[in-house]
Amino acid sequence: MATTAAPYGLVPVKNADGSPYCGARDAFLVKPTNYNENIGYGSIVRLVDGYVQLSLSTGSAAGDTNNFGGVANGGALGVFVGCEYINAEGQLIFSQYFPSGTANATAYVVTDPGVTFQVQASGQVAQALLGRNTFLSATPDGDTDDVNTTTGKSKTAVSHSAVDATKGLKIVGFSDRPGSEVNDLFTDLLVKFNPAYHLYGTGDVTS
């Protein structure tokens, strides 16, 4: 059972047609210099001036800066699933996470708004909350509280206080992985982006 708070970000598990997620992703440049935020595998990201940056919003409202894009009606680009860069020794590095301050990195992002993600909730979620909406349980800030720099995974979780009002993510199911059940102390959920919170579902942009 998921009895321990051990969030791991948003993990892609299923395509829009119900088939298993098979690794589809798009490549985008991270801000080339002086970008001092860690981005973990499973973090929600946005576009700012044409570059990938960590979303610093919870997705709790579409009409203001709490949308994932950081501006009113500006949605997320998607979910970060790794990056590549050249280190100081001239070696090509493939990494689960973007280390703060890394220059000239390319990020890999799951941009398809139809993809289903698995994510841990910050508490118990009952069957009755299926179909309701949720958002990130804490505001990301790109430090080591947000990213496990050993595993490269995001520490993002979603709020267990699912609501009827529109929020960034919709609960579309519960994880059926071994050891995970509905109403666990820290329930593993299946979620999708709500359209107004994804860049491909809104006409506005982030910069």
Side-chain angles (χ1 to χ4, degrees), residues 118-204:
Q118 179 177 301
V119 64
Q120 189 174 65
S122 59
Q124 289 179 291
V125 179
Q127 182 71 35
L129 298 183
L130 181 66
R132 293 193 180 180
N133 297 311
T134 186
F135 52 96
L136 303 189
S137 61
T139 302
D141 58 14
D143 64 14
T144 53
D145 293 333
D146 293 329
V147 180
N148 182 328
T149 55
T150 299
T151 65
K153 293 180 180 180
S154 169
K155 296 181 182 179
T156 295
V158 297
S159 174
H160 65 284
S161 301
V163 296
D164 295 331
T166 304
K167 302 295 180 183
L169 301 162
K170 182 171 291 293
I171 300 170
V172 298
F174 298 89
S175 172
D176 59 359
R177 70 175 183 171
S180 184
E181 299 179 5
V182 178
N183 210 38
D184 278 345
L185 288 178
F186 299 94
T187 312
D188 292 316
L189 304 176
L190 301 179
V191 300
K192 286 187 175 184
F193 283 100
N194 278 315
Y197 293 81
H198 195 283
L199 187 61
Y200 295 173
T202 176
D204 288 5

Side-chain angles (χ1 to χ4, degrees), residues 53-142:
Q53 292 189 15
L54 179 69
S55 172
L56 302 179
S57 305
T58 62
S60 62
D64 60 30
T65 56
N66 286 312
N67 199 329
F68 292 126
V71 297
N73 305 311
L77 174 63
V79 173
F80 177 92
V81 289
C83 68
E84 64 175 75
Y85 58 90
I86 304 295
N87 68 10
E89 290 74 36
Q91 301 164 321
L92 176 61
I93 302 297
F94 295 92
S95 177
Q96 282 269 89
Y97 83 104
F98 170 82
S100 172
T102 300
N104 300 312
T106 297
Y108 296 116
V109 181
V110 179
T111 60
D112 184 349
V115 167
T116 297
F117 297 90
Q118 179 177 301
V119 64
Q120 189 174 65
S122 59
Q124 289 179 291
V125 179
Q127 182 71 35
L129 298 183
L130 181 66
R132 293 193 180 180
N133 297 311
T134 186
F135 52 96
L136 303 189
S137 61
T139 302
D141 58 14

